[in-house]
Amino acid sequence: MGVGVSIFFLTLGAILKFAIEPDVFGESVHMDIIGVIFMIVGGVGVVLSIVLAPRRGQTSDGRLMHRENNPPDL
């Protein structure tokens, strides 16, 4: 999950929590609780995306060693 999807979940959660009445779908569905869950998922996604982003860009180019075909002198 990238930063964009995480921000989408944060936004959707905030809309469900603060902009919609909690009992709009009746007593069985609590939209404010679902909004809080979406905001938690979005927040965790943003943190994980930021923490794991430096690792995603690493390649093996920096770890290559120069090796020569000259045998050691005996």
Side-chain angles (χ1 to χ4, degrees):
M1 181 165 54
V3 175
V5 176
S6 300
I7 292 173
F8 172 75
F9 276 122
L10 278 170
T11 306
L12 181 64
I15 290 170
L16 291 176
K17 171 71 178 165
F18 301 115
I20 296 179
E21 294 293 325
D23 57 352
V24 73
F25 291 112
E27 292 293 322
S28 61
V29 179
H30 297 282
M31 296 307 286
D32 56 342
I33 302 299
I34 295 172
V36 170
I37 292 171
F38 277 151
M39 287 191 292
I40 291 171
V41 168
V44 169
V46 166
V47 169
L48 286 177
S49 296
I50 291 172
V51 168
L52 297 177
R55 296 182 190 176
R56 191 178 301 171
Q58 289 181 352
T59 61
S60 62
D61 294 339
R63 290 181 254 155
L64 291 177
M65 297 174 54
H66 181 70
R67 184 178 290 184
E68 296 181 7
N69 290 329
N70 298 332
D73 295 331
L74 295 176

